[in-house]
mmCIF file of all heavy atoms in Angstrom:
data_model
loop_
_atom_site.group_PDB
_atom_site.id
_atom_site.type_symbol
_atom_site.label_atom_id
_atom_site.label_comp_id
_atom_site.label_asym_id
_atom_site.label_seq_id
_atom_site.Cartn_x
_atom_site.Cartn_y
_atom_site.Cartn_z
ATOM 1 N N THR A 127 21.835 15.623 16.434
ATOM 2 C CA THR A 127 21.712 14.958 17.752
ATOM 3 C C THR A 127 21.223 15.906 18.783
ATOM 4 O O THR A 127 20.378 15.604 19.633
ATOM 5 C CB THR A 127 23.104 14.409 18.145
ATOM 6 O OG1 THR A 127 23.527 13.450 17.165
ATOM 7 C CG2 THR A 127 23.012 13.690 19.538
ATOM 8 N N ALA A 128 21.696 17.107 18.757
ATOM 9 C CA ALA A 128 21.287 18.160 19.722
ATOM 10 C C ALA A 128 19.807 18.437 19.558
ATOM 11 O O ALA A 128 19.051 18.587 20.493
ATOM 12 C CB ALA A 128 22.176 19.390 19.568
ATOM 13 N N ALA A 129 19.398 18.596 18.320
ATOM 14 C CA ALA A 129 17.968 18.876 17.994
ATOM 15 C C ALA A 129 17.099 17.765 18.484
ATOM 16 O O ALA A 129 15.995 17.975 19.044
ATOM 17 C CB ALA A 129 17.810 19.128 16.545
ATOM 18 N N ALA A 130 17.520 16.500 18.324
ATOM 19 C CA ALA A 130 16.702 15.393 18.731
ATOM 20 C C ALA A 130 16.556 15.345 20.235
ATOM 21 O O ALA A 130 15.529 15.085 20.823
ATOM 22 C CB ALA A 130 17.363 14.048 18.295
ATOM 23 N N LYS A 131 17.679 15.715 20.975
ATOM 24 C CA LYS A 131 17.608 15.717 22.460
ATOM 25 C C LYS A 131 16.649 16.815 22.913
ATOM 26 O O LYS A 131 15.893 16.639 23.869
ATOM 27 C CB LYS A 131 18.977 15.941 23.042
ATOM 28 C CG LYS A 131 19.886 14.728 22.889
ATOM 29 C CD LYS A 131 21.255 14.996 23.504
ATOM 30 C CE LYS A 131 22.113 13.777 23.347
ATOM 31 N NZ LYS A 131 23.521 14.061 23.887
ATOM 32 N N ARG A 132 16.707 17.986 22.269
ATOM 33 C CA ARG A 132 15.788 19.093 22.623
ATOM 34 C C ARG A 132 14.342 18.692 22.370
ATOM 35 O O ARG A 132 13.462 18.967 23.158
ATOM 36 C CB ARG A 132 16.164 20.379 21.858
ATOM 37 C CG ARG A 132 17.467 20.960 22.303
ATOM 38 C CD ARG A 132 17.593 22.399 21.752
ATOM 39 N NE ARG A 132 17.504 22.431 20.297
ATOM 40 C CZ ARG A 132 18.601 22.356 19.471
ATOM 41 N NH1 ARG A 132 19.770 22.226 20.027
ATOM 42 N NH2 ARG A 132 18.473 22.408 18.180
ATOM 43 N N GLY A 133 14.115 18.051 21.227
ATOM 44 C CA GLY A 133 12.762 17.631 20.878
ATOM 45 C C GLY A 133 12.234 16.600 21.864
ATOM 46 O O GLY A 133 11.072 16.636 22.276
ATOM 47 N N ALA A 134 13.086 15.617 22.272
ATOM 48 C CA ALA A 134 12.627 14.621 23.247
ATOM 49 C C ALA A 134 12.296 15.242 24.589
ATOM 50 O O ALA A 134 11.305 14.894 25.230
ATOM 51 C CB ALA A 134 13.751 13.616 23.442
ATOM 52 N N SER A 135 13.069 16.248 25.068
ATOM 53 C CA SER A 135 12.821 16.908 26.278
ATOM 54 C C SER A 135 11.435 17.673 26.219
ATOM 55 O O SER A 135 10.677 17.661 27.157
ATOM 56 C CB SER A 135 13.965 17.845 26.650
ATOM 57 O OG SER A 135 13.684 18.633 27.845
ATOM 58 N N ALA A 136 11.270 18.391 25.144
ATOM 59 C CA ALA A 136 9.986 19.189 24.999
ATOM 60 C C ALA A 136 8.828 18.241 24.955
ATOM 61 O O ALA A 136 7.778 18.531 25.510
ATOM 62 C CB ALA A 136 10.086 20.004 23.735
ATOM 63 N N TRP A 137 8.937 17.114 24.187
ATOM 64 C CA TRP A 137 7.872 16.200 24.134
ATOM 65 C C TRP A 137 7.482 15.592 25.493
ATOM 66 O O TRP A 137 6.327 15.456 25.837
ATOM 67 C CB TRP A 137 8.227 15.044 23.177
ATOM 68 C CG TRP A 137 7.235 13.930 23.170
ATOM 69 C CD1 TRP A 137 7.492 12.669 23.600
ATOM 70 C CD2 TRP A 137 5.951 13.913 22.716
ATOM 71 N NE1 TRP A 137 6.401 11.898 23.473
ATOM 72 C CE2 TRP A 137 5.393 12.613 22.903
ATOM 73 C CE3 TRP A 137 5.106 14.902 22.109
ATOM 74 C CZ2 TRP A 137 4.093 12.287 22.540
ATOM 75 C CZ3 TRP A 137 3.814 14.569 21.789
ATOM 76 C CH2 TRP A 137 3.304 13.226 22.008
ATOM 77 N N SER A 138 8.475 15.321 26.330
ATOM 78 C CA SER A 138 8.248 14.782 27.650
ATOM 79 C C SER A 138 7.372 15.707 28.501
ATOM 80 O O SER A 138 6.528 15.313 29.223
ATOM 81 C CB SER A 138 9.550 14.444 28.389
ATOM 82 O OG SER A 138 10.235 13.504 27.690
ATOM 83 N N ALA A 139 7.641 17.012 28.358
ATOM 84 C CA ALA A 139 6.925 18.030 29.119
ATOM 85 C C ALA A 139 5.522 18.156 28.552
ATOM 86 O O ALA A 139 4.561 18.259 29.349
ATOM 87 C CB ALA A 139 7.621 19.349 29.059
#
Side-chain angles (χ1 to χ4, degrees):
T127 302
K131 290 181 178 178
R132 291 195 299 271
S135 177
W137 170 247
S138 296

